[in-house]
Amino acid sequence: MGPLAYLKTQFAVHLLIGFVFVVSGLLINSVQLCTLVLWPLSKQLYRRLNCRLAYSLWSQLVMLLEWWSCTECTLFTDQATVDRFGKEHVVVILNHNFEIDFLCGWTMCERFGVLGAYPESLPAEMCQSSKVLAKRELLYVPLIGWTWYFLEIVFCKRRWEEDRDTVIRGLERLADYPEYMWFLLYCEGTRFTEKKHRVSMEVAASKGLPALKYHLLPRTKGFTTAVQCLRGTVAAVYDVTLNFRGNKNPSLLGILYGKKYEADMCVRRFPLEEIPLDEKEAAQWLHKLYQEKDALQEMYNQKGVFPGEQFKPARRPWTLLNFLFWATVLLSPLFSCVFGVFASGSPLLILTFLGFVGAASFGVRRLIGVTEIEKGSSYGNQEFKKKE
C-alpha cells in the first residue's frame, strides 16, 4: 500500500473531509437562505444563483468519486445521444440498485455540465441543473434536504392521494426553469433488496405483468405525471441502466476509503413524442421499458458489457478546485483552533474539543448512512404493500 492509498484509509483524513463538507454546506445553506429575498424580485436570478451555490456543495461528493477514489465511468450509447447531453431538458430514469447510483448520475451531469458547473464550451448563462423527485423524509436531512429545498426539488410522501397536487404544482413550477435540467426519476420508488423484490413480483403476478429479475416493478404514477406536466419543456427521456464491473456493490464509505470502481451506464434516448399521451398507455410504455432494462442487465451479467458504442468522458478540474478552495478556507482556522486548544493545557477545553470531534464523526457517519441500502426505507416491503 502506497502512502496515498494509506492516507485514504485514515479516519482523521475522513473527518477532515467531512468537516469541510459539513461546514461549507452550512455556509452555503446560509447564503441560500439570504437569496430568498430575490424570489419576488427575480425568480430566474434566484434560480441561477442557487444552481451555482448547490454545485459548490454537491461537487465535493463528485470530487470523491472522480479524484479521490478515481472511479471510472463508461457510457454505452450512440454519438447522436452524447451530442445532445447538456443541451436539452430531459427526464432521466435510473435503476435504484446501488448505494452510489445517484453519485454516478451526478458525475455524468458534471462531465456534461448539468450539475451546475460552468461547462468549458458554454458561457456562464448556460449553466445547467439536475433535479429529482425525492422522498419527503430527505427534506429534513441537514445539508441534503435543505439544499434541495432551495433548488425547488419536488418532495413527495410516496402516498399518491396526498402527493398528487404537491407533485403537479412542483413540476409545473419547473416549466420555465432557466437552466437545462436533467430530472431524475427512480421509478421503482425505493432501492432494490431481495425482500422488496419478492413483494414487488407478487404484485406483478397479481396484475398479470411479466416478472422482472433485476428490478422492482416500476410505480407509474410519478412517471406519467412528470411526463404530462413537463410536456413542452422536456425534449426526451433518457433511460439509464447502471452496473459495476466485477460484480461489485460499491458504497459511499468505500469511496471515502479510496476504493476504485468501474461503472458502466447504458443510456438510451427516447424523444418525448414517442411516449403516449394517454396515462394508461404511458404506464404500459414504462412497464415495457423496465422489461427491456431487465434484458440489458441480463446481457451485462452474461457478457460483461452493455450494447452500444463506448464513451469515457474526461473528468473536469472544477470539482477538485472547488474542494481545494473550501479546504483552504476552512482547514487553516481549524488547525489554528486545535493548536490553541492543546496549547492552553486546559482539560475542559480539550475535553470539549474531543466531544466536538466525536459528535462531528457521528454526524458524518449518519449522513453517509442515508445512502446505505440496509438503512433504507421500508417502503415496498410486505407490511407496506399497496397496489397502485
Side-chain angles (χ1 to χ4, degrees), residues 76-77 266-267 296 299 305-309:
F76 291 78
T77 186
C266 179
V267 182
L296 286 171
M299 177 187 297
V305 293
F306 287 118
E309 188 178 352

Side-chain angles (χ1 to χ4, degrees), residues 200-219:
S200 180
M201 291 307 97
E202 290 173 4
V203 175
S206 71
K207 294 183 175 182
L209 294 169
L212 301 174
K213 186 176 180 180
Y214 302 101
H215 301 85
L216 305 180
L217 189 69
R219 298 174 182 263

Side-chain angles (χ1 to χ4, degrees), residues 298-315:
E298 181 67 28
M299 177 187 297
Y300 188 89
N301 285 343
Q302 292 178 359
K303 299 182 179 180
V305 293
F306 287 118
E309 188 178 352
Q310 296 187 31
F311 297 85
K312 285 191 176 182
R315 60 186 180 182

Side-chain angles (χ1 to χ4, degrees), residues 89-137:
H89 296 296
V90 298
V91 170
V92 178
I93 297 175
L94 178 63
N95 55 303
H96 210 9
N97 299 67
F98 304 98
E99 292 183 8
I100 65 166
D101 45 30
F102 72 98
L103 201 49
C104 292
W106 280 356
T107 192
M108 286 297 105
C109 287
E110 153 60 22
R111 296 185 188 197
F112 290 101
V114 193
L115 187 60
Y118 291 91
E120 293 173 355
S121 59
L122 297 174
E125 62 268 23
M126 291 295 289
C127 170
Q128 291 100 35
S129 175
S130 58
K131 302 294 179 189
V132 67
L133 184 63
K135 58 184 179 182
R136 190 166 183 82
E137 294 95 318

